[in-house]
Amino acid sequence: MPEHPHRRPSPPSGAKRSGWRRPASPAAAPPSLPPSAPRPAPAAPNPPDHRSVIDSAVYRDGRRVASPATLAETFRQLREEPDGMAWIGLHRPTEPELHSLATEFNLHELAVEDALEAHQRPKLERYGDTLFVVLRAARYLDAQEEVEFAELHVFVGPDFLITVRHGSAPDLSAVRRRMEANPGLLSLGPEAALYAILDAVVDGYAPVVEGVQTDIDEIETEVFRGDPAVSRRIYELSREMVEFQRATRPLVGMLHGLMAGFAKYGTDEELQRYLRDVADHVTHTSERVDGFRQALTEILTVNATLVSQQQNAEMRALAEAGFEQNEEIKKISSWAAILFAPTLVGTIYGMNFETMPELKWAAGYPFAILLMAVVCTSLYVIFKKRDWL
């Protein structure tokens, strides 16, 4: 991962580790040991080897001195390195693995339970001298045009850092390589690795922001083009932005909380600058996400207005077509009525019954013609006055 352009050069490898950690409370703290004393062996049985252990290493002065293959070996190597630091990376670990870590590093049971169950909101909690951090990483899937979220749990203690991933993001191997390439920064301790992880998570938001911006631009084009499927796309992207807000908003408060403890825990000045840089980035991202959600709300309103206008235009067109059809029906009905009158008279006098009185009448034919003309003329005048013709 590229360095931030405004970040100062790292301190030399011999830099002093910051003293930001809070001592455990007397009730919960284990008995203090002299620096040279080895770490006591865990009471729980050695954890089984499992593929959930992605990488495990022990560092001294920012340099890797051991790469244990199992958690049990990691515990042993760390006990042999009083000034060392263990960095253990796990992916969906089993319950026995997490409980073995809790026994070895005195992790709080509530934090272990959260790490097992996942589905937590971003948060930062302190249990004695151990920090428990929950992060929500995100990445943009170009093929599906979707945002994928993953959960990351981090335990940070005086001489250890444990990461528990419940997804494919972020790429913590790249973070580890970056820190190993900068032993001066890594020598500052587990808190330096924590800040590097925070930086990786926040930097991972940048491609997501760009992808969402592209999606919104496409949606605006589809809205004014009248694409009927755009409403569903707006709704799905709005839901993703809600998830994005849930990932970024708490992170702003978490980072400011860490910044507020700089003086209390004696955080190294380099790490202070590092954290402020990360806080600036996440604040900017959170503001962009808030803007995206507002833009999607406005686009949805515009789309609803355009759909309503289109429906009104279609209804108006149907009404006009119905009116024209009624006019045609009126004309046809009027001419049918006019033609029906002479047809009726001619039909009656065409029956040729012997007992019909008008058959022998000399004026019968002129009278019938006149009667038909009068009726037809009268109907024509009536329909014309009513604008049926």
Side-chain angles (χ1 to χ4, degrees):
M1 178 180 299
E3 298 285 347
H4 287 293
H6 302 295
R7 189 168 298 147
R8 292 188 179 180
S10 302
S13 59
K16 182 180 178 181
R17 181 178 298 182
S18 63
W20 66 291
R21 296 177 295 273
R22 181 192 305 194
S25 61
S32 59
L33 296 174
S36 58
R39 182 187 298 271
N46 291 338
D49 190 7
H50 194 272
R51 283 184 295 179
S52 63
V53 181
I54 304 303
D55 194 1
S56 181
V58 177
Y59 299 88
R60 184 178 63 243
D61 295 329
R63 301 184 184 277
R64 185 188 287 240
V65 296
S67 300
T70 64
L71 292 179
E73 188 177 349
T74 302
F75 302 158
R76 181 182 60 81
Q77 292 280 354
L78 185 60
R79 288 194 295 270
E80 295 175 358
E81 293 285 346
D83 296 327
M85 178 193 80
W87 185 345
I88 302 171
L90 304 173
H91 181 262
R92 300 186 187 277
T94 62
E95 186 172 349
E97 286 175 325
L98 273 183
H99 282 305
S100 69
L101 290 166
T103 303
E104 174 69 18
F105 297 114
N106 194 26
L107 304 180
H108 198 279
E109 59 181 4
L110 294 178
V112 173
E113 181 180 351
D114 288 345
L116 277 173
E117 295 180 356
H119 304 294
Q120 305 294 320
R121 298 194 69 175
K123 62 181 179 179
L124 184 150
E125 296 178 347
R126 186 181 293 276
Y127 300 97
D129 59 355
T130 301
L131 278 179
F132 176 60
V133 182
V134 179
L135 303 172
R136 294 291 302 277
R139 66 172 184 167
Y140 186 79
L141 305 178
D142 291 317
Q144 296 86 358
E145 293 185 339
E146 295 177 353
V147 181
E148 181 184 70
F149 297 92
E151 198 164 325
L152 173 64
H153 302 254
V154 185
F155 296 89
V156 186
D159 58 353
F160 66 88
L161 183 137
I162 303 168
T163 59
V164 180
R165 287 193 296 122
H166 291 274
S168 56
D171 183 8
L172 295 183
S173 61
V175 178
R176 189 188 291 263
R177 289 193 300 269
R178 171 189 167 193
M179 294 299 291
E180 290 178 349
N182 191 349
L185 184 60
L186 187 55
S187 66
L188 296 177
E191 58 270 30
L194 170 63
Y195 295 150
I197 292 172
L198 289 169
D199 185 46
V201 171
V202 174
D203 282 353
Y205 293 153
V208 179
V209 169
E210 296 303 321
V212 172
Q213 181 64 68
T214 301
D215 286 347
I216 291 178
D217 293 340
E218 294 176 354
I219 285 174
E220 289 177 343
T221 302
E222 293 172 359
V223 165
F224 290 101
R225 194 171 56 197
D227 190 338
V230 71
S231 297
R232 181 181 181 86
R233 190 176 181 187
I234 295 173
Y235 173 73
E236 292 175 348
L237 189 57
S238 297
R239 291 186 59 186
E240 292 175 355
M241 289 305 97
V242 171
E243 290 296 319
F244 210 174
Q245 281 184 322
R246 291 174 180 172
T248 56
R249 276 187 176 178
L251 190 54
V252 175
M254 290 164 53
L255 291 172
H256 283 87
L258 285 175
M259 292 166 60
F262 282 164
K264 183 176 183 180
Y265 299 107
T267 305
D268 185 89
E269 291 184 3
E270 175 68 11
L271 293 182
Q272 293 183 27
R273 289 190 291 269
Y274 190 91
L275 180 59
R276 290 192 186 97
D277 181 71
V278 177
D280 290 342
H281 280 75
V282 74
T283 301
H284 176 70
T285 300
S286 180
E287 292 173 352
R288 291 287 302 275
V289 174
D290 291 343
F292 288 157
R293 191 172 181 192
Q294 181 64 30
L296 287 170
T297 301
E298 294 174 355
I299 291 173
L300 189 60
T301 302
V302 172
N303 182 63
T305 302
L306 293 176
V307 170
S308 178
Q309 291 177 351
Q310 183 179 1
Q311 291 176 344
N312 290 338
E314 292 175 353
M315 293 297 295
R316 186 164 53 251
L318 288 175
E320 292 174 354
F323 177 78
E324 294 176 357
Q325 187 176 13
N326 286 339
E327 293 299 316
E328 295 297 327
I329 291 174
K330 287 179 181 180
K331 293 179 181 179
I332 294 173
S333 301
S334 300
W335 286 112
I338 292 172
L339 295 176
F340 176 73
T343 302
L344 178 61
V345 175
T347 302
I348 293 175
Y349 285 98
M351 291 188 291
N352 295 325
F353 288 113
E354 291 292 337
T355 58
M356 289 180 68
E358 291 86 359
L359 291 179
K360 304 298 184 181
W361 186 25
Y365 176 73
F367 174 76
I369 295 298
L370 180 61
L371 178 62
M372 288 186 283
V374 170
V375 173
C376 291
T377 303
S378 300
L379 291 174
Y380 180 82
V381 172
I382 293 172
F383 291 144
K384 193 68 174 177
K385 286 184 177 180
R386 295 184 178 181
D387 293 328
W388 284 32
L389 291 175

